[in-house]
């Protein structure tokens, strides 16, 4: 088959700039073959090379005594004691989900699960963070339904509980939804598997499903903005099969028991190319691949297609040759392909041969570690203007407006489509605060949360970045968990625009400060840039996924609100309304600054919660919607009314940080006040849980009436 001529248009179609193509010519000293062009395109795109973000990612704190493996592997690994580790990561599948919502979201779940079990961990929990355009936009309903169905369709069939997440709506996502998928698994801390190849002449083995043409060029597509040619990009979305993935996981974990695995890598973005190059590069070795041995499900596939296919449910492994028969038997038992497709070589070469013909012969190290790296020009986000006056409003009217918005209404319609109880270890289902899973066979539990407030990040990237980490920290401490570590999913627009790059730099600075102060190092993550359509960028959305540990399930702070419980607020309230939920939903305004985050106060108040958890019957952090929304949610989940003492708009709806709402008995409230005084922690009584209504000052509505709005508004907007 005649390969196409390398033209400027073809180079541009591969996402390569003219100066990058000049670098390729300099490296190889000749014009690349079509397959080589595809390989460089895959390895040097933003999605795989992090060329715009690497400089800044290096500034993030990534180590600590609890960290076994930080960024750079398939997932991060953190010690949870007793010879056990939690393995976790968050990753985006934004572009594919906008083009083909069901498969885009489904394969996002499949990919993140593979990242976890490739490390030798059995997945025990998943989450997702979803951002969509305004509910009335002509595409939103189709996207929400397709994405939620895709996540449920894959995760439910695979058999991992979905324990948490978030869903937001904003016009900035009209042309580019965000689908961020998180997975966590358990492993023995001395049985973690890594991706660096070792040993010369070792067999390179292809495992799993067959290779087709789906997803060819997917990583390059994920590193570009959208325009009116979006329909043409549909073939770049992969197709997932959760039942094959389930078999692949069982086969992989069984294979790891045989001792045959030297290194192993998930075939994710850029498929065979990226997995082979990363294994060779990390091990300081070359790789030769013979593509005629690659299991194929379509006829006459070219070298280019096989190298760039992103067909799902596939892995690449370097194998101890003496254990080949044993390893093959495992995969044949699970009815999966097992094929030796190449070997490690001593030279620094990536040699691709197809039916005896050399299709690519490149210096392997130049594809990965020496990919272009940019110090993009950036401008700091200007300081937000001072907040114009916010009128006082009737408290119940303000609360009702929040409950009627799909942003703050109950998300039952979403998580009831997910299996939250499979594996029978879920200790807390989605809906209020962090999700929780018992560590099977032990007394321990793990808590999981995902957080960011994009409005804050746009107004003030540094404070917004800090706040995303601080809220994740509070969500973990509010259920009694000690925060351990974080993963990030950094979703931004086009980094070639200095103001967008400035948002990224500011957010990284804030995240770095917060994870250091709160001892929650970043151990894994993903950067998703070019989230724009026709030049319109998304809100900057650096999602933070976080994991916390409870050494005993007795430490869980439950959700046991009862008649007569006192409502206490821990932390200082100043009534910050800039960029608040109330401002957006009631006044249709997005002005003012993001709330300031005092990291010392966050740590002090979180430590106070953990030290006094036996006196606390229920706890939630105060975030979007302030005290009014938090008090309603605690009341609604327990079916008990709440009466709050102060009716000012600032006090009820302000979004000051480092605050928690606590419910407890009267005598426990007295003891907490004494303890708070000794610890220098602000604590005030704000009302009590009683009756069957929500009453603030002289304004009142039945709990049942407000709960009906809360429970139906989301489905009415999108179902």
């Amino acid at each position: 088959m005649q390969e196409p001529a390398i033209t400027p248009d073809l180079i541009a179609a591969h996402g390569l700039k003219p100066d990058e193509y000049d670098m390729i010519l300099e490296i190889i000293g000749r014009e690349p073959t079509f397959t080589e062009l595809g390989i460089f395109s895959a390895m040097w795109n933003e999605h795989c090379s992090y060329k715009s973000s690497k400089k800044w990612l290096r500034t993030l704190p990534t180590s600590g005594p609890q960290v076994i493996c930080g960024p750079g592997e398939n997932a991060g690994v953190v010690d949870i004691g007793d010879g056990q580790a939690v393995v976790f990561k968050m990753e985006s599948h934004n572009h594919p989900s906008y083009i083909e919502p069901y498969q885009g979201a489904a394969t996002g779940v499949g990919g993140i699960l593979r990242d976890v079990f490739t490390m030798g961990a059995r997945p025990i929990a998943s989450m997702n963070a979803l951002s969509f355009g305004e509910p009335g936009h002509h595409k939103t309903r189709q996207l929400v339904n397709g994405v939620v169905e895709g996540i449920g369709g894959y995760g439910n069939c695979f058999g991992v509980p979905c324990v948490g997440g978030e869903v937001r709506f904003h016009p900035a996502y009209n042309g580019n939804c965000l689908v961020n998928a998180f997975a966590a698994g358990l492993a023995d801390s001395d049985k973690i598997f890594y991706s660096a190849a070792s040993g010369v002449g070792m067999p390179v083995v292809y495992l799993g499903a067959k290779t087709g043409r789906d997803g060819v060029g997917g990583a390059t597509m994920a590193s570009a903005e959208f325009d009116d040619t979006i329909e043409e990009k549909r073939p770049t979305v992969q197709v997932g099969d959760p039942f094959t993935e389930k078999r692949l996981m069982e086969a992989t974990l069984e294979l790891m028991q045989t001792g045959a695995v030297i290194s192993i890598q998930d075939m994710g973005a850029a498929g065979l190319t990226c997995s082979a190059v990363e294994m060779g590069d990390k091990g300081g070795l070359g790789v030769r691949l013979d593509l005629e041995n690659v299991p194929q499900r379509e006829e006459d596939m070219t070298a280019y297609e096989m190298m760039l296919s992103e067909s799902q449910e596939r892995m690449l492994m370097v194998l101890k040759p003496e254990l080949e028969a044993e390893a093959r038997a495992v995969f044949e038992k699970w009815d999966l392909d097992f094929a030796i497709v190449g070997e490690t070589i001593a030279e620094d070469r990536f040699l691709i041969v197809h039916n005896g013909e050399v299709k690519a012969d490149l210096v392997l190290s130049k594809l990965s570690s020496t990919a272009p790296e940019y110090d993009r020009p950036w401008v700091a986000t200007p300081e937000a203007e001072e907040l114009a006056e916010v009128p006082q409003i009737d408290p119940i009217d303000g609360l009702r407006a929040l409950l009627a918005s799909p942003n703050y209404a109950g998300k039952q319609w979403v998580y009831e489509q997910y299996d939250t109880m499979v594996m029978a270890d879920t200790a807390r289902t989605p809906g209020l605060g962090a999700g929780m899973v018992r560590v099977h066979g032990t007394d321990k539990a793990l808590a999981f949360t995902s957080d960011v407030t994009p409005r804050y990040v746009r107004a003030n990237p540094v404070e917004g970045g800090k706040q995303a980490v601080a809220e994740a920290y509070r969500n973990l401490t509010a259920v009694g968990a000690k925060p351990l570590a974080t993963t990030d999913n950094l979703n931004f627009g086009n980094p070639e625009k200095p103001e967008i790059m400035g948002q990224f730099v500011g957010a990284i600075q804030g995240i770095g400060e917060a994870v250091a102060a709160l001892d929650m190092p970043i151990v894994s993550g993903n950067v998703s840039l070019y989230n724009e359509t026709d030049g319109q960028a998304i809100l900057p959305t650096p999602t933070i996924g976080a994991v916390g540990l409870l050494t005993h399930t007795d430490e869980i702070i439950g959700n046991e609100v009862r008649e007569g419980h006192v409502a206490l607020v821990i932390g200082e309230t100043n009534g910050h309304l800039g960029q608040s939920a109330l401002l957006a939903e009631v006044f249709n305004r997005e002005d003012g600054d993001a709330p300031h985050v005092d990291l010392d106060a966050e740590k002090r108040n979180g430590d106070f919660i953990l030290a006094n958890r036996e006196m606390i019957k229920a706890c939630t952090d105060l975030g979007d919607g302030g005290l009014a929304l938090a008090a309603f949610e605690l009341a609604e989940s327990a079916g008990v009314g709440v009466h709050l003492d102060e009716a000012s708009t600032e006090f009820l709806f302000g979004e000051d940080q480092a605050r928690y709402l606590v419910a407890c008995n009267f005598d426990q409230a007295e003891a907490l006040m004494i303890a708070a005084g000794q610890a220098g922690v602000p604590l005030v009584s704000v009302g009590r849980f009683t009756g069957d209504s929500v009453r603030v000052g002289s304004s009142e509505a039945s709990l049942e009436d407000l709960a009906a709005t809360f429970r139906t508004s989301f489905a009415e907007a999108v179902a």
Side-chain angles (χ1 to χ4, degrees):
M1 181 175 148
Q2 185 72 34
E3 291 202 340
I6 308 294
T7 64
D9 284 351
L10 189 67
I11 293 162
H14 279 75
L16 293 163
K17 302 272 194 296
D19 59 328
E20 291 175 337
Y21 185 69
D22 290 342
M23 284 174 68
I24 292 170
L25 295 178
E26 200 176 313
I27 287 169
I28 65 178
R30 57 176 169 78
E31 191 175 85
T33 65
F34 182 52
T35 301
E36 287 173 337
L37 183 71
I39 288 169
F40 271 107
S41 159
M43 291 307 301
W44 284 13
N45 67 57
E46 196 70 56
H47 192 75
C48 295
S49 73
Y50 294 95
K51 60 190 174 188
S52 298
S53 56
K54 227 182 242 181
K55 169 188 164 78
W56 299 101
L57 296 176
R58 289 195 192 101
T59 66
L60 289 170
T62 58
S63 58
Q66 71 274 45
V67 179
I68 295 171
C69 173
E73 280 292 336
N74 286 295
V77 185
V78 174
D79 192 352
I80 60 167
D82 309 312
Q84 290 181 302
V86 60
V87 178
F88 63 96
K89 187 182 182 184
M90 194 167 213
E91 199 161 73
S92 60
H93 232 220
N94 304 336
H95 284 54
S97 299
Y98 188 72
I99 296 167
E100 174 38 75
Y102 183 96
Q103 291 296 349
T107 52
V109 174
I112 200 69
L113 289 167
R114 282 197 304 286
D115 280 336
V116 166
F117 69 74
T118 303
M119 302 286 292
R122 181 174 288 277
I124 58 161
S126 70
M127 294 190 294
N128 50 80
L130 312 175
S131 303
F132 298 104
E134 53 199 328
H137 187 265
H138 67 95
K139 276 205 73 141
T140 299
R141 206 169 278 240
Q142 174 219 350
L143 289 170
V144 174
N145 283 268
V147 164
V148 170
E149 205 179 324
I151 290 168
Y154 204 101
N156 296 354
C157 295
F158 180 85
V160 64
C162 182
V163 299
E166 48 185 347
V167 188
R168 72 179 56 83
F169 298 87
H170 191 280
Y173 304 102
N174 280 348
N176 198 309
C177 65
L178 301 183
V179 175
N180 295 176
F182 169 99
L186 276 178
D188 292 339
S189 44
D190 61 349
K191 294 189 177 72
I192 306 296
F193 287 81
Y194 298 100
S195 58
S198 64
V200 174
M202 297 295 164
V204 174
V205 185
Y206 173 113
L207 307 167
K210 289 179 165 53
T211 294
R213 291 186 172 94
D214 51 326
V216 171
T220 303
M221 174 272 293
S223 305
E225 291 183 43
F226 284 149
D227 53 30
D228 52 13
T229 63
I230 187 168
E231 281 303 312
E232 297 165 20
K233 296 185 169 82
R234 197 173 290 276
T236 58
V237 179
Q238 315 91 319
V239 177
D241 177 354
F243 297 108
T244 298
E245 176 117 337
K246 175 75 172 163
R247 300 201 322 271
L248 179 62
M249 177 189 73
E250 297 296 352
T252 302
L253 295 177
E254 190 175 327
L255 174 71
M256 288 166 168
Q257 303 296 315
T258 66
V261 179
I262 294 174
S263 69
I264 190 161
Q265 176 80 27
D266 158 44
M267 278 198 234
L272 195 50
T273 291
C274 198
S275 53
V277 168
E278 285 190 10
M279 287 170 91
D281 189 55
K282 285 177 186 165
L285 294 166
V287 173
R288 173 196 166 110
L289 295 178
D290 294 294
L291 297 186
E292 61 274 12
N293 298 328
V294 170
Q296 298 157 56
R297 67 165 186 261
E298 299 186 45
E299 289 183 9
D300 301 322
M301 286 190 73
T302 64
Y304 178 94
E305 289 169 334
M306 281 187 267
M307 291 308 295
L308 298 189
S309 165
E310 293 183 9
S311 293
Q312 294 291 288
E313 293 87 42
R314 302 180 302 157
M315 319 271 260
L316 204 62
M317 169 179 78
V318 176
L319 171 77
K320 291 179 184 169
E322 67 274 16
L323 292 173
E324 181 196 329
E326 208 172 328
R328 186 184 294 276
V330 170
F331 269 73
E332 286 177 350
K333 180 183 96 175
W334 287 99
D335 194 24
L336 292 162
D337 279 294
F338 177 104
I340 293 176
V341 295
E343 64 174 357
T344 56
I345 54 179
E347 310 100 287
D348 183 8
R349 274 173 95 190
F350 192 40
L351 183 60
I352 309 301
V353 181
H354 189 208
N355 296 325
E357 190 182 336
V358 174
K359 292 292 184 181
D361 190 353
L362 300 168
V363 180
L364 186 140
S365 61
K366 299 288 187 192
L367 291 167
S368 181
S369 41
T370 50
E373 193 173 315
Y374 297 122
D375 186 0
R376 302 256 186 223
W378 60 278
V379 294
T381 301
E383 272 189 36
E385 289 180 19
E386 207 163 306
L387 181 68
E389 191 185 349
V390 180
Q392 294 292 308
I393 58 158
D394 179 277
I396 297 298
D397 289 348
L399 177 60
R400 202 184 294 276
L402 293 181
L403 302 183
S405 162
N407 278 311
Y408 306 109
K411 305 297 188 295
Q412 291 86 345
W413 180 87
V414 177
Y415 61 74
E416 284 172 0
Q417 297 186 50
Y418 304 151
D419 192 334
T420 58
M421 300 303 291
V422 64
M423 300 174 86
D425 279 316
T426 304
R428 192 175 204 158
T429 53
L432 194 69
M436 222 178 304
V437 172
R438 289 179 289 271
V439 178
H440 199 76
T442 76
D443 291 326
K444 294 182 295 204
L446 288 163
F448 305 99
T449 186
S450 145
D451 298 285
V452 65
T453 308
R455 295 187 312 279
Y456 294 171
V457 187
R458 182 178 59 183
N460 187 330
V462 177
E463 292 300 319
K466 277 196 229 171
Q467 192 276 338
V469 177
E471 187 170 349
Y473 171 84
R474 290 197 301 273
N475 277 334
L476 296 176
T477 52
V479 297
K482 176 179 166 47
L484 284 181
T486 48
T487 180
D488 58 12
N489 203 147
L490 307 172
N491 309 274
F492 290 82
N494 183 344
E496 295 167 48
K497 297 177 179 174
E499 64 278 10
I500 300 284
M501 197 64 210
Q503 291 176 342
F504 183 85
V505 171
I508 287 274
Q509 186 188 330
I511 289 167
E513 280 181 45
V515 296
L518 301 174
D519 192 22
M520 299 167 72
I522 299 267
V523 297
S524 59
N526 170 241
V527 177
S528 174
L529 303 176
Y530 296 96
N531 289 292
E532 298 202 4
T533 297
D534 296 327
Q536 290 295 306
I538 60 161
L539 293 182
T541 312
T543 310
I544 298 293
V547 177
L549 175 67
L550 297 105
T551 54
H552 199 288
T553 50
D554 289 352
E555 296 175 349
I556 294 173
I557 297 175
N559 188 25
E560 302 160 22
V561 179
R562 298 279 182 272
E563 170 71 39
H565 274 172
V566 179
L568 304 171
V569 167
I570 291 171
E572 196 170 346
T573 301
N574 295 310
H576 182 96
L577 286 172
Q579 299 297 331
S580 64
L582 181 85
L583 210 58
E585 299 295 343
V586 175
F587 298 102
N588 199 24
R589 287 168 51 184
E590 294 188 354
D591 54 324
D593 199 358
H596 172 70
V597 179
D598 179 341
L599 293 167
D600 292 336
E602 292 284 2
K603 186 82 173 68
R604 181 195 65 211
N605 297 356
D607 286 346
F608 179 78
I609 294 281
L610 295 180
N612 294 283
R613 61 184 131 209
E614 73 282 352
M615 290 191 268
I616 297 170
K617 294 300 182 189
C619 180
T620 182
D621 89 299
L622 297 194
D624 278 334
L627 172 62
L629 187 58
F632 167 80
E633 286 181 345
L634 273 189
E636 193 273 340
S637 67
V640 178
V642 62
H643 295 179
L644 297 175
D645 301 330
E646 191 178 327
S648 83
T649 297
E650 295 80 7
F651 186 79
L652 288 171
F653 296 101
E655 295 180 6
D656 306 288
Q657 300 297 295
R659 295 187 306 155
Y660 300 82
L661 175 64
V662 162
C664 59
N665 297 325
F666 182 77
D667 54 344
Q668 293 165 327
E670 284 193 318
L672 276 171
M673 284 178 171
I674 293 165
Q678 292 166 343
V681 170
L683 186 152
V684 292
S685 169
V686 294
R688 62 197 179 104
F689 292 92
T690 184
D692 56 6
S693 69
V694 175
R695 191 171 79 209
V696 186
S698 60
S699 189
E700 189 171 13
S702 85
L703 179 66
E704 189 180 358
D705 171 40
L706 292 172
T709 302
F710 179 68
R711 289 187 167 265
T712 57
S713 297
F714 189 93
E716 282 172 6
V718 299

